[in-house]
């Protein structure tokens, strides 16, 4: 089980970035996302995507992040530009255990660095938690997202020109 | 030379996503980004990052996207969830030529699909142009971003706990 924990979400400022984090979590193979602030709008957006495009991804907002971290039964990874090298760190993760991936917004409190089993950087340059999560999941799941089936009501078929959409929606 | 062309940028709605697109372009190995709408704020943000963290990445906003596409001397790739498979498409790109990577916001006009030499999907699920660009550059440059040197005034050193920052700024 792979869970993404999005912390420091501010509804007005972060709504689109957090939506992208959630969509990336779903598309690249996580099972669910937990978001610290209550945000019904983002729940609706993600649930609507799941409803149309398939899969069993779950979203929950307004969770107590300290409690989630404290009670986590498995490995906790924190993605940060200050973290240790990706290739080296990823080998240390036991794939048999549940994995919690913590993804912060701008300021991350020190206890997150301390509580994580591994602080991992996707390069040490400033970029994006959306990209960091995608690259991390890509490496961790060895690129398997590319063949993942979601069996949604809407399926997009690969096409070099134009749009090929297979829809079970009447 | 790798250029990212960000189209459909709406200043208020997209500022953070477009900033992430630009930071990903820089961190994952593109040379510059062109943005269709004029946005001085985003120019400042990215120039400030380049000034502190190094590298030669350039940003230009308020460009004429039709002109850029029409006059492009090289290959044009458009990243879209409707596009063709990544592994198959990426092999078709001539690495000796200049590359223009078009990254849209929500609605992309049909002429973009038609003008692109390749419409490429990073999976056919909805997710994020930020993630799509990161994964595309990762595959296209064969993961070389990870060892790229930027020689900035500020350098973040990999660290498992806490933050290690080497700064030439007084």
């Amino acid at each position: 089980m792979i869970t993404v924990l999005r912390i420091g979400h501010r509804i007005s400022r972060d709504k689109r970035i957090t939506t992208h984090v959630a969509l990336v979590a779903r598309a690249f193979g996580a099972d669910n996302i937990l978001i610290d602030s209550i945000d019904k709008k983002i729940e609706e957006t993600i649930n609507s995507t799941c409803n149309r495009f398939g899969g069993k991804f779950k979203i929950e907002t307004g969770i107590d992040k300290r409690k989630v971290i404290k009670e986590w039964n498995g490995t906790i990874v924190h993605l940060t530009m200050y973290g240790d090298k990706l290739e080296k760190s990823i080998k240390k993760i036991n794939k048999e255990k549940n994995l919690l991936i913590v993804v912060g917004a701008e300021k991350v409190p020190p206890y997150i660095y301390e509580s994580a089993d591994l602080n991992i950087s996707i390069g040490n340059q400033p970029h994006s938690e959306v990209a960091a999560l995608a690259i991390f999941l890509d490496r961790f799941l060895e690129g398997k997202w590319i063949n993942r089936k979601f069996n949604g009501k809407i399926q997009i078929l690969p096409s070099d020109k134009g749009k090929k959409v297979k829809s079970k929606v009447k």
Side-chain angles (χ1 to χ4, degrees), chain A:
Chain A
M1 173 118 177
I2 301 176
T3 297
V4 173
L5 172 62
R6 166 66 161 171
I7 62 168
H9 171 66
R10 292 150 301 176
I11 293 178
S12 63
R13 185 177 160 105
D14 297 323
K15 63 183 172 195
R16 297 199 64 226
I17 296 288
T18 301
T19 302
H20 284 222
V21 167
L23 291 173
V24 162
R26 174 183 172 276
F28 288 86
D31 298 284
N32 60 332
I33 189 166
L34 309 174
I35 298 170
D36 53 358
S37 319
I38 296 175
D39 191 335
K40 292 295 167 196
K41 185 73 191 65
I42 213 167
E43 287 185 14
E44 275 169 34
T45 304
I46 301 303
N47 286 331
S48 157
T49 301
C50 296
N51 185 34
R52 288 173 295 138
F53 288 92
K56 291 179 177 174
F57 189 77
K58 299 282 175 218
I59 181 166
E60 204 179 327
T61 74
I63 57 87
D64 178 343
K65 56 178 177 280
R66 283 190 179 266
K67 193 161 174 273
V68 169
I69 289 171
K70 203 174 166 192
E71 296 176 358
W72 188 254
N73 179 17
T75 308
I76 302 177
V77 152
H78 169 221
L79 301 183
T80 162
M81 69 183 281
Y82 297 100
D84 211 353
K85 288 187 174 173
L86 176 63
E87 322 94 284
K88 180 180 142 192
S89 309
I90 218 158
K91 291 178 196 150
K92 297 180 185 170
I93 306 171
N94 182 341
K95 295 204 174 183
E96 304 300 311
K97 289 187 180 175
N98 289 324
L99 180 63
L100 183 72
I101 306 168
V102 185
V103 178
E106 281 178 22
K107 294 273 180 192
V108 172
Y111 81 89
I112 299 289
Y113 289 84
E114 289 148 23
S115 318
D117 296 299
L118 295 162
N119 290 286
I120 302 182
S121 61
I122 312 302
N124 298 104
Q125 290 295 321
H127 55 84
S128 166
E129 56 266 41
V130 182
L133 181 62
I135 297 279
F136 175 81
L137 286 169
D138 173 59
R139 296 297 198 271
F140 183 68
L141 297 172
E142 297 160 7
K144 287 183 192 137
W145 56 271
I146 218 152
N147 295 314
R148 202 178 168 100
K149 297 273 174 261
F150 286 84
N151 302 313
K153 290 178 205 159
I154 302 175
Q155 276 180 277
I156 311 291
L157 304 179
S159 164
D160 186 33
K161 294 279 173 197
K163 300 180 181 181
K164 282 190 192 157
V165 182
K166 213 168 114 182
S167 176
K168 294 180 204 163
V169 187
K170 280 171 196 167

